Amino acid sequence: MKARRASLTPNERKAMIQRQGFACFTFGCDGKPAVAEHFTPVAMGNDQKPDCMLCQDCADRKTKRDVANIAKVKR
């Protein structure tokens, strides 16, 4: 069964960015939060709303790791 992708409302997005201090959620990164992300990928059954905001570079790296991990699970 495919998980439904839940997204943030504009107000939830603003509140999450504020909670993170207007910075990327990745420790040590000072990038501007731009992408809402899930700790556990939707493809692995997560039907919750995104958990954090990442800068574009960190989101790209996380997505690359997620794709590799999902491929391992589906083997």
Side-chain angles (χ1 to χ4, degrees):
M1 184 169 115
K2 192 172 184 175
R4 182 178 73 63
R5 183 174 296 274
S7 58
L8 298 173
T9 66
N11 286 337
E12 289 171 327
R13 184 180 182 88
K14 287 177 192 175
M16 187 177 288
I17 291 170
Q18 287 177 331
R19 279 194 307 273
Q20 291 181 196
F22 301 94
C24 178
F25 189 73
T26 303
F27 181 76
C29 179
D30 60 357
K32 181 180 176 185
V35 181
E37 278 287 350
H38 296 87
F39 288 122
T40 303
V42 172
M44 295 182 84
N46 185 355
D47 62 353
Q48 302 299 308
K49 290 192 175 193
D51 308 296
C52 62
M53 297 292 296
L54 301 177
C55 70
Q56 189 64 58
D57 288 341
C58 288
D60 291 346
R61 283 191 296 275
K62 181 187 177 300
T63 297
K64 196 174 207 177
R65 283 191 312 267
D66 288 348
V67 168
N69 289 333
I70 291 164
K72 287 178 188 176
V73 169
K74 291 188 175 185
R75 286 185 189 162

